[in-house]
Amino acid sequence: MRKLVVLKFGGSSLANPNRIKNVARRVVDYKKQNFDVVTVVSALGDTTDDLISLAVQINSNPSERELDMLLSTGEQISVSLLAMAIHKLGFNAVSLTGAQVGIVTDTHHTRARIVSIDCHRINKHLKNESIVIVAGFQGVTQENEITTLGRGGSDLTALALAKALKANLCEIYTDVDGVFSADPRIVKNAVKLPFIYYEEMLEMASLGAQVMQVRSVEVAKKFNIPFHVRSSFSNNSGTFIAGSISDLNKLKLQVKEAEMMEGALIRGVTLNKNEAKITICDVPDRPGVAAKLFKHLSRVDINVDMIVQNVSHTRQTDISFTLSKNDLPKALKATKTVAKEIGAGEVLSDLEVARVSIVGVGMRSHPGVAAKMFEALAYQKINIEMISTSEISISCIIQRKFADKALRVIHSKFLNRAK
Ligand code: ADP
Ligand code: ASP
Ligand code: MG
């Protein structure tokens, strides 16, 4: 049986012609080792951001259908150029859009979910010894409308294809050496993690570690698809993400339980500078009020992150919650409407907040982790505005101007080996 590999290359790995040629060589290397190769690519460099900024210069509130139409063109440029680069190396390659592959999604433009993938066409090309290059981040509805899968969605295309094609290996190539204990662009002494559990990767991604799209990790976890995050600029081994030590060992990693556990109290520290906070003052303290507010927000499609309601001593209380910065205008409008209906007071918003979080399965069994995090922030005189915890993470909302400093100080408190 031939082995099949799914490779995914992010935008920075394809930012100029030399980088595209570099990717072509890496792809061809797998073909030379007799693998069937499916490669997923993102748009070149910052193309997606550039297209969005072009759109909002034309219309500050563009239609989501037209946005998908526009953004999907970015990946179409990459697939064709990579195919040409591979041809130049003397190998067969064919580029396909999401629609040509048969990646069928639901109808939620800009954040569509994959419903099914038809492997027929890919398998036919693989049989003919062709390298298949698939445009990431896009699909098509049953009515033939082009959709996109949410920012960072090429990761999802790759993992969903790995599942559908029963790939033997899935590699996500990016501009850093793997998943680090913190964003290496902000924390210079962050360390590369040789391996990490799905749930930790999921938590880190949800809490701001941009390196993997959240929904792609959900798919990997749900279908147990171990994958390898590594650099497209070096041959170094990166980070293996899997569900258990035995899965890692199947990948011939020979990880010992002790190694996985050692120092694993906290696996990583993350930052999300994309948050905003809304506070409704003087909310009447009676049953049904919170339900009314959050039902209204969900109806207008607002995802709320953290919620804090103070204890009431006066039959009135304040409710604060955080959400994605981009949703603030829509959420403010909705919150003001509900505040009026329920007889609450002023609605305040703060765009200058950030969320800093620690993540690790080890904290389940270790007391004192929260105190240590709060101490690190107190030491730098950084005020904590809100706190939330999950079984394997603790997050604090702080002022955004302290965000990078907070990340570094918490990282050094937990993860600097020498300390
Ligand atoms: P790509 O274009 O390859 O998809 P992204 O820009 O989406 O790449 O993700 C890679 C970036 O994620 C890195 O350049 C890095 O700055 C950032 N990042 C944030 N947190 C982490 C982390 N914990 N480990 C590695 N990279 C991280
Ligand atoms: N090009 C898309 C984005 O920038 C998808 C991706 O890069 O994965 O979000
Ligand atoms: Mg990405």
Side-chain angles (χ1 to χ4, degrees):
M1 264 283 272
R2 283 280 283 277
K3 290 202 163 181
L4 187 140
V5 62
V6 173
L7 312 173
K8 177 255 165 177
F9 293 88
S12 44
S13 306
L14 298 151
N16 58 47
N18 278 334
R19 290 191 181 179
I20 297 172
K21 289 177 191 170
N22 168 54
V23 168
R25 281 191 295 272
R26 298 202 75 129
V27 172
V28 161
D29 277 347
Y30 276 97
K31 188 72 193 156
K32 286 181 184 161
Q33 291 168 51
N34 239 352
F35 276 97
D36 280 340
V37 189
V38 174
T39 303
V40 175
V41 288
S42 300
L44 311 187
D46 297 328
T47 303
T48 309
D49 288 332
D50 296 344
L51 290 172
I52 292 173
S53 104
L54 195 58
V56 295
Q57 285 175 56
I58 306 278
N59 181 336
S60 60
N61 188 18
S63 127
E64 291 186 332
R65 178 193 183 274
E66 300 310 328
L67 256 187
D68 278 354
M69 201 71 170
L70 177 71
L71 298 191
S72 62
T73 62
E75 272 67 14
Q76 204 171 329
I77 295 173
S78 313
V79 281
S80 48
L81 290 175
L82 183 59
M84 292 173 200
I86 293 174
H87 295 162
K88 184 91 178 143
L89 297 175
F91 286 77
N92 291 337
V94 59
S95 63
L96 298 171
T97 63
Q100 285 175 311
V101 169
I103 298 180
V104 177
T105 73
D106 65 17
T107 55
H108 277 93
H109 282 291
T110 74
R111 55 192 181 292
R113 292 190 168 267
I114 298 177
V115 177
S116 62
I117 298 184
D118 180 357
C119 299
H120 226 79
R121 189 154 176 191
I122 293 185
N123 281 328
K124 193 184 81 191
H125 289 297
L126 291 175
K127 236 184 211 145
N128 291 335
E129 293 300 329
S130 199
I131 293 168
V132 178
I133 306 163
V134 179
F137 174 58
Q138 55 178 261
V140 66
T141 68
Q142 257 145 3
E143 283 74 42
N144 269 325
E145 292 284 359
I146 291 176
T147 51
T148 63
L149 310 176
R151 294 305 305 268
S154 302
D155 297 335
L156 178 59
T157 306
L159 281 155
L161 278 174
K163 150 86 173 96
L165 295 161
K166 300 188 180 68
N168 301 87
L169 182 62
C170 180
E171 297 202 306
I172 307 289
Y173 284 85
T174 183
D175 59 352
V176 286
D177 261 349
V179 181
F180 281 70
S181 53
D183 187 338
R185 288 195 218 174
I186 304 174
V187 180
K188 293 292 167 232
N189 58 355
V191 289
K192 185 183 75 188
L193 306 168
F195 29 74
I196 155 175
Y197 292 123
Y198 294 132
E199 56 182 327
E200 291 172 315
M201 185 71 255
L202 192 55
E203 199 84 350
M204 282 179 73
S206 311
L207 295 171
Q210 181 198 343
V211 60
M212 286 301 299
Q213 190 215 29
V214 179
R215 282 171 47 200
S216 70
V217 187
E218 277 168 3
V219 166
K221 181 168 184 258
K222 183 167 170 193
F223 297 107
N224 192 18
I225 314 160
F227 61 100
H228 184 193
V229 177
R230 60 188 304 193
S231 167
S232 58
F233 307 122
S234 82
N235 282 320
N236 299 341
S237 172
T239 303
F240 286 89
I241 294 106
S244 66
I245 293 167
S246 66
D247 283 343
L248 287 166
N249 287 341
K250 267 187 235 150
L251 293 168
K252 309 238 171 338
L253 283 171
Q254 302 306 331
V255 177
K256 293 192 197 77
E257 184 141 6
E259 243 176 292
M260 194 66 179
M261 293 300 156
E262 191 255 334
L265 176 58
I266 297 303
R267 193 78 70 190
V269 186
T270 63
L271 196 57
N272 185 349
K273 294 183 182 172
N274 232 347
E275 303 245 340
K277 184 173 82 168
I278 293 183
T279 302
I280 319 178
C281 306
D282 305 328
V283 180
D285 191 17
R286 58 165 192 263
V289 164
K292 190 161 190 170
L293 168 65
F294 292 106
K295 201 165 157 191
H296 194 66
L297 287 169
S298 80
R299 232 184 260 135
V300 290
D301 229 3
I302 304 283
N303 240 328
V304 171
D305 287 334
M306 231 187 248
I307 304 173
V308 170
Q309 177 180 327
N310 290 333
V311 180
S312 147
H313 296 294
T314 59
R315 317 274 320 141
Q316 287 191 324
T317 181
D318 293 350
I319 297 180
S320 295
F321 57 92
T322 64
L323 66 162
S324 162
K325 214 162 61 176
N326 302 335
D327 287 339
L328 186 65
K330 197 157 77 166
L332 255 183
K333 198 169 153 213
T335 308
K336 282 181 179 163
T337 310
V338 180
K340 221 178 201 170
E341 277 174 28
I342 59 179
E346 224 183 331
V347 177
L348 309 171
S349 65
D350 189 349
L351 259 176
E352 296 304 319
V353 294
R355 175 197 279 231
V356 60
S357 313
I358 54 177
V359 175
V361 292
M363 74 171 73
R364 279 189 184 128
S365 50
H366 284 78
V369 178
K372 200 168 161 182
M373 180 184 190
F374 304 155
E375 255 169 35
L377 292 171
Y379 180 71
Q380 290 291 339
K381 303 208 167 22
I382 299 172
N383 191 39
I384 302 171
E385 298 184 13
M386 292 165 87
I387 299 168
S388 83
T389 60
S390 82
E391 215 185 326
I392 63 162
S393 73
I394 303 170
S395 295
C396 297
I397 296 292
I398 56 172
Q399 281 300 299
R400 187 172 308 130
K401 63 180 177 218
F402 299 128
D404 291 1
K405 196 189 209 181
L407 188 73
R408 288 189 200 108
V409 68
I410 294 171
H411 185 272
S412 79
K413 187 97 179 170
F414 284 100
L415 290 149
N416 281 6
R417 292 280 181 255
K419 292 198 175 158

